[in-house]
Amino acid sequence: MLSKDSKIYIAGHNGMVGSACWRALSDAGYTNLIGKSSKELDLRNQSNVKDFLADEKPYAIIDAAAKVGGILANDTYPYEFLMDNMLIQNNLIKSAHELDIKKFIFLGSSCIYPKLAPQPLKEEHLLTGALEPTNEWYAIAKISGVKLIEALRKQYNRDYVSLMPTNLYGPGDNFDLNTSHVLPAMIRKFHEAKENNKSDVVLWGTGNPMREFLHVDDLAQAVKLFLENHADDFLYNIGTGKDIAIKDLANSIQAVVGHKGSILWDSTKPDGTPRKLLDVGKILKMSWEPIISLNDGISSVYK
Ligand SMILES: NC(=O)c1ccc[n+]([C@@H]2O[C@H](COP(=O)([O-])OP(=O)(O)OC[C@H]3O[C@@H](n4cnc5c(N)ncnc54)[C@H](OP(=O)(O)O)[C@@H]3O)[C@@H](O)[C@H]2O)c1
């Protein structure tokens, strides 16, 4: 039985998602959270992972550890994106099962769904078509994790689950313009333009694509929900179910940052897929809904 002093191991607890889970559980009164940095425990090493988990014997594992990155990183390091991510999740999932760890929450991402799947993306669209080629290395690793969780549920009746969040943002985000996602990249660009008294900010693409954004603290509440309750299924999308045009996102961020100049759209740069929205009907039937509005979330991240 889960209690507030049950040991909970958050793999990747220094990352954006892992640290949000740590905050949420600690705020909820969980007193026995454990974490290891990649320097202390390289999750690609099977025997070290097994020894660590056999010693600690946590009640639950939240797997927020992964090698993550954008198109450029995926394209440059396809082998590491596929191999490292499979090793990290395989070592954790295999040891969890062998050591009879009661709960496992596996975090993936919406890139697991086929490139041309109908929108909004439903859980049942998994493996119904070809993936977006730019991140298929990462996606295939994550799909294999989802299938391992499904197999353990089916064959051994484990209460393990995979959660697929939409685009996340929040404290601990990556603001490096070479590797960051669109929302933190815009915050940085508008902030630097304001600080340097530049009137124009140039953004990539046409601004027309539609994207969905979830504050990482809302995701952490969904993780807590699955920690505390039985999962009836193996896969749940986690998002807001609402999308926004990149142009409107830029206007909101500009207003929050207080930049006064114009926004120039460089349409020679790629837009990416026109729309990417998750169907979140399944998780909304449980007692969870996102509570942080995009505007409030952007304001707090900017502060
Ligand atoms: N960010 C998003 O928009 C987003 C959206 C959807 C899903 N997700 C999913 O959420 C998960 C976490 O993402 P994130 O944004 O929190 O990434 P992040 O900030 O880069 O954190 C990843 C964590 O993984 C750990 N890690 C990586 N390789 C490791 C290794 N070999 N051994 C041990 N630890 C290792 C890192 O630990 P150290 O810091 O100690 O090196 C790091 O703290 C991923 O599965 C990702 O797919 C993220």
Side-chain angles (χ1 to χ4, degrees):
M1 280 286 287
L2 177 73
S3 66
K4 290 286 159 82
D5 59 3
S6 297
K7 191 179 279 185
I8 299 161
Y9 167 46
I10 303 178
H13 73 300
N14 290 320
M16 179 167 79
V17 171
S19 57
C21 293
W22 191 289
R23 278 195 303 279
L25 295 181
S26 154
D27 289 352
Y30 288 91
T31 54
N32 202 358
L33 306 179
I34 58 168
K36 288 267 177 206
S37 70
S38 58
K39 283 208 175 72
E40 292 166 322
L41 174 66
D42 186 340
L43 294 168
R44 294 171 299 181
N45 183 312
Q46 187 175 30
S47 59
N48 290 355
V49 171
K50 185 150 195 185
D51 289 349
F52 167 72
L53 291 174
D55 279 353
E56 294 287 356
K57 212 54 178 57
Y59 172 84
I61 297 177
I62 296 167
D63 179 8
K67 182 175 178 60
V68 305
I71 295 177
L72 183 67
N74 260 267
D75 202 43
T76 318
Y77 305 106
Y79 176 74
E80 280 78 13
F81 271 84
L82 185 52
M83 182 58 94
D84 288 6
N85 283 311
M86 285 194 304
L87 287 173
I88 290 170
Q89 69 205 28
N90 287 355
N91 292 339
L92 289 171
I93 294 170
K94 184 171 192 285
S95 291
H97 172 55
E98 289 172 2
L99 295 165
D100 196 25
I101 288 167
K102 296 299 171 214
K103 288 258 183 186
F104 195 102
I105 300 174
F106 175 62
L107 285 147
S109 98
S110 59
C111 70
I112 62 164
Y113 293 114
K115 183 179 178 172
L116 300 176
Q119 304 275 336
L121 296 158
K122 287 185 194 300
E123 290 85 349
E124 68 229 39
H125 292 145
L126 185 69
L127 291 172
T128 55
L131 298 166
E132 160 62 46
T134 49
N135 59 15
E136 65 181 1
W137 320 98
Y138 187 72
I140 286 174
K142 290 291 183 187
I143 291 170
S144 73
V146 171
K147 295 309 275 186
L148 283 171
I149 296 293
E150 186 185 4
L152 283 171
R153 291 179 65 90
K154 183 176 149 85
Q155 193 180 336
Y156 294 98
N157 212 18
R158 291 261 174 227
D159 185 13
Y160 291 3
V161 69
S162 297
L163 305 184
M164 297 302 119
T166 188
N167 300 302
L168 299 169
Y169 70 98
D173 213 337
N174 171 15
F175 289 87
D176 175 346
L177 289 179
N178 292 315
T179 51
S180 56
H181 294 132
V182 57
L183 193 151
M186 280 186 187
I187 293 181
R188 181 167 181 169
K189 284 186 176 179
F190 283 115
H191 174 70
E192 287 183 349
K194 185 179 92 168
E195 295 290 291
N196 301 323
N197 292 318
K198 280 200 190 138
S199 56
D200 296 342
V201 166
V202 179
L203 299 175
W204 276 31
T206 62
N208 293 328
M210 304 287 293
R211 292 288 183 274
E212 179 186 12
F213 298 95
L214 179 73
H215 194 285
V216 72
D217 288 344
D218 277 332
L219 168 68
Q221 291 301 323
V223 169
K224 178 173 165 285
L225 178 80
F226 283 97
L227 175 72
E228 293 174 343
N229 295 279
H230 178 80
D232 291 333
D233 210 344
F234 71 98
L235 176 62
Y236 291 82
N237 290 339
I238 315 288
T240 61
K242 291 181 209 125
D243 51 4
I244 176 173
I246 292 296
K247 258 184 191 151
D248 295 331
L249 176 72
N251 291 334
S252 302
I253 294 178
Q254 185 184 37
V256 166
V257 171
H259 171 258
K260 298 281 181 249
S262 5
I263 303 175
L264 306 176
W265 292 95
D266 178 1
S267 56
T268 63
K269 295 289 196 303
D271 259 350
T273 180
R275 191 173 190 212
K276 204 164 173 203
L277 179 64
L278 289 179
D279 186 313
V280 289
K282 224 161 115 177
I283 174 79
L284 291 180
K285 285 196 195 113
M286 301 180 65
S287 49
W288 176 90
E289 61 178 352
I291 54 166
I292 304 170
S293 73
L294 189 54
N295 226 48
D296 288 353
I298 293 168
S299 301
S300 67
V301 169
Y302 181 55
K303 269 192 205 122

